[in-house]
């Protein structure tokens, strides 16, 4: 089922109350959407698919028209998700910097998304507050949720690149949430965007807890969002959720899964399309049964499905869909 912002709010409220995490998965292609939606459904888990501006540009093709890309990804998500009834997914805009303000408004006003992230974290603090509050005002009129961020998360995520890590200050988090009224709050707590190994990451569980406690104490409890979570260990994710994290973002993990699965396929099946050494083109008979794209693209889909099924079991959202009786 495809969730509107209103339904997605129920998903996050339930997860925060019961202390489990929702896995937010970046997508670009139909095969990624299919594999992930099937994985959430198989585990009766709610989820969130998210598209970056880079994904929208890619989806549109040579025009790089972000509005076209957003329509395409949104339509595919809705059509695929609405086939299923034991779970649901929403669609989110990931890391929309202020230069994508008009795109965010377009997606909200045209019912393409359930939630959006306004990432003005590289602006001055007051300017971040001003822009985020403006997005909240528009989004809430349409029942769409908003995620905001303060602090810098190190690494590269599509068009978002930071060489430095700037941890979120709890007092600033409180002021930001109060003044903007964002629904979800992304904190910089030690994770990195991109290929990372959890064992090499110092995840600041203490900082997650301080932020969560402070927001609760001031009656503005929010779900905390963990970006750059691909490489984290199961235990790191469990600890983060226990202490206030409700949305766990994954992109690189799936990219690695697809690449590895397809690579393994072709290491074995290359002779279905490339003549083995010593065989001339004339004598070579390609094998359609093995080079048909449906035979190898599906390996990537299956790998993504398997990955998300494992992730929702770790985060505790498996069996917890708001669709379950
Ligand atoms: O916004 C998306 C995420 O933070 C994904 O980060 O690619 O390190 O998993 P990741
Ligand atoms: Zn991120």
């Amino acid at each position: 089922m495809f969730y509107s912002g209103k339904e997605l709010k129920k998903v996050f409220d339930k997860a925060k109350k019961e202390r489990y995490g929702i896995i937010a998965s970046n997508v670009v292609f139909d095969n990624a959407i299919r594999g992930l939606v099937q994985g959430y459904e198989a585990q009766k888990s709610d989820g969130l698919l998210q598209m970056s501006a880079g994904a929208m540009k890619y989806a549109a093709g040579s025009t790089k028209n972000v509005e076209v890309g957003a329509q395409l990804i949104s339509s595919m998500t809705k059509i695929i998700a609405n086939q299923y009834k034991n779970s649901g997914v929403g669609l989110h805009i990931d890391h929309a910097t202020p230069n994508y303000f008009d795109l965010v408004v377009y997606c909200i006003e045209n019912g393409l998304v359930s939630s959006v992230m306004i990432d003005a974290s590289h602006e001055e603090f007051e300017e971040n507050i001003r822009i985020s509050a403006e997005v909240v005002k528009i989004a809430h009129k349409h029942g769409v949720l908003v995620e905001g961020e303060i602090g810098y998360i190190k690494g590269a995520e599509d068009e978002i690149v930071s060489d430095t890590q700037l941890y979120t200050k709890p007092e600033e988090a409180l002021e930001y949430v109060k003044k903007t009224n964002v629904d979800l709050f992304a904190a910089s707590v030690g994770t990195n965007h991109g290929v990372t190994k959890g064992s090499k990451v110092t995840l600041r569980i203490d900082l997650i807890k301080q932020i969560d406690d402070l927001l609760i104490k001031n009656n503005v409890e929010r779900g905390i969002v963990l970006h750059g979570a691909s490489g984290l260990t199961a235990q790191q994710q469990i600890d983060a959720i226990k202490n206030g994290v409700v949305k766990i973002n994954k992109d690189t993990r799936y990219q690695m899964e697809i690449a590895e699965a397809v690579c393994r396929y072709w290491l074995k099946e290359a002779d279905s399309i490339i003549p083995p050494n010593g065989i001339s083109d004339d004598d070579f008979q390609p094998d359609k049964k093995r080079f048909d794209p449906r035979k190898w693209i599906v390996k990537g889909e299956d790998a993504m499905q398997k990955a998300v099924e494992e992730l929702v079991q770790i985060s505790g959202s498996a069996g917890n869909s708001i669709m379950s009786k």
Side-chain angles (χ1 to χ4, degrees), residues 261-316:
V262 172
C263 183
R264 285 190 190 284
Y265 180 90
W266 283 114
L267 283 172
K268 263 184 28 215
E269 311 293 352
D271 67 348
S272 66
I273 192 67
I274 297 173
N277 276 344
I279 309 275
S280 71
D281 273 357
D282 267 0
D283 291 334
F284 179 58
Q285 180 61 42
D287 182 357
K288 188 169 160 60
K289 279 201 225 70
R290 292 188 288 148
F291 67 66
D292 179 333
R294 287 168 296 184
K295 286 283 159 56
W296 53 272
I297 291 177
V298 75
K299 300 289 175 196
E301 281 183 42
D302 290 349
M304 288 184 82
Q305 173 165 350
K306 208 168 140 229
V308 77
E309 287 197 44
E310 180 197 307
L311 291 168
V312 298
Q313 285 179 21
I314 293 168
S315 78

Side-chain angles (χ1 to χ4, degrees), residues 50 94-95 117 149 153 157 193 227-228 249:
Q50 41 190 29
D94 192 27
H95 287 293
M117 175 182 190
E149 174 179 328
I153 294 159
E157 172 66 16
H193 280 133
H227 280 253
N249 284 9

Side-chain angles (χ1 to χ4, degrees), residues 110-129:
N110 287 282
L112 302 187
V113 292
S114 331
S115 57
V116 299
M117 175 182 190
I118 177 69
D119 181 356
S121 58
H122 286 250
E123 306 292 324
E124 290 298 323
F125 185 55
E126 288 304 328
E127 184 62 357
N128 185 356
I129 290 177

Side-chain angles (χ1 to χ4, degrees), residues 38-50:
Q38 286 170 185
Y40 287 120
E41 176 73 7
Q43 294 295 322
K44 297 187 168 54
S45 164
D46 292 325
L48 190 59
L49 301 188
Q50 41 190 29

Side-chain angles (χ1 to χ4, degrees), residues 23-307:
I23 302 293
S25 310
N26 283 67
V27 296
V28 184
F29 319 100
D30 61 329
N31 56 304
I33 298 170
R34 212 164 23 240
L36 292 165
V37 168
Q38 286 170 185
Y40 287 120
E41 176 73 7
Q43 294 295 322
K44 297 187 168 54
S45 164
D46 292 325
L48 190 59
L49 301 188
Q50 41 190 29
M51 53 182 180
S52 62
M56 294 179 233
K57 283 182 191 165
Y58 185 91
S62 63
T63 63
K64 295 187 171 21
N65 182 322
V66 280
E67 293 181 359
V68 170
Q71 284 175 34
L72 193 67
I73 296 174
S74 176
S75 303
M76 289 191 296
T77 303
K78 288 177 182 177
I79 292 169
I80 292 173
N82 280 333
Q83 298 176 97
Y84 300 105
K85 300 287 170 252
N86 293 310
S87 67
V89 296
L91 181 64
H92 177 79
I93 301 180
D94 192 27
H95 287 293
T97 45
N99 50 319
Y100 289 113
F101 186 89
D102 291 348
L103 170 68
V104 167
V105 174
Y106 173 84
C107 290
I108 293 170
E109 290 183 340
N110 287 282
L112 302 187
V113 292
S114 331
S115 57
V116 299
M117 175 182 190
I118 177 69
D119 181 356
S121 58
H122 286 250
E123 306 292 324
E124 290 298 323
F125 185 55
E126 288 304 328
E127 184 62 357
N128 185 356
I129 290 177
R130 188 191 66 74
I131 297 168
S132 305
E134 185 67 23
V135 171
V136 169
K137 211 167 88 191
I138 300 165
H140 283 185
K141 258 193 239 157
H142 295 265
V144 169
L145 305 186
V146 180
E147 172 186 337
E149 174 179 328
I150 52 175
Y152 301 167
I153 294 159
K154 203 173 163 189
E157 172 66 16
D158 255 22
E159 297 175 5
I160 308 294
V161 181
S162 178
D163 297 331
T164 48
Q165 181 90 37
L166 180 63
Y167 291 108
T168 302
K169 296 187 183 78
E171 288 298 339
E172 282 190 355
L174 176 62
E175 187 182 346
Y176 176 83
V177 168
K178 274 186 169 169
K179 289 188 172 164
T180 60
N181 194 24
V182 289
D183 305 277
L184 295 156
F185 175 68
S188 174
V189 289
T191 54
N192 298 336
H193 280 133
V195 179
T196 48
K197 293 228 183 304
S199 53
K200 305 232 170 11
V201 165
T202 309
L203 180 62
R204 294 275 312 276
I205 298 291
D206 61 311
L207 188 52
I208 297 172
K209 184 165 168 45
Q210 274 179 48
I211 295 169
D212 194 46
D213 285 350
L214 192 64
L215 295 182
I216 291 173
K217 206 173 111 198
N218 285 274
N219 295 318
V220 285
E221 180 174 10
R222 293 295 189 273
I224 297 173
V225 182
L226 202 53
H227 280 253
S230 275
L232 295 182
T233 64
Q235 196 54 52
Q236 285 172 318
Q237 295 173 72
I238 291 165
D239 292 343
I241 292 163
K242 223 187 287 165
N243 286 283
V245 163
V246 78
K247 175 173 178 273
I248 301 193
N249 284 9
K250 303 271 180 180
D251 183 10
T252 308
R253 166 77 192 270
Y254 300 120
Q255 294 179 343
M256 291 170 80
E257 294 285 351
I258 297 183
E260 185 184 335
V262 172
C263 183
R264 285 190 190 284
Y265 180 90
W266 283 114
L267 283 172
K268 263 184 28 215
E269 311 293 352
D271 67 348
S272 66
I273 192 67
I274 297 173
N277 276 344
I279 309 275
S280 71
D281 273 357
D282 267 0
D283 291 334
F284 179 58
Q285 180 61 42
D287 182 357
K288 188 169 160 60
K289 279 201 225 70
R290 292 188 288 148
F291 67 66
D292 179 333
R294 287 168 296 184
K295 286 283 159 56
W296 53 272
I297 291 177
V298 75
K299 300 289 175 196
E301 281 183 42
D302 290 349
M304 288 184 82
Q305 173 165 350
K306 208 168 140 229

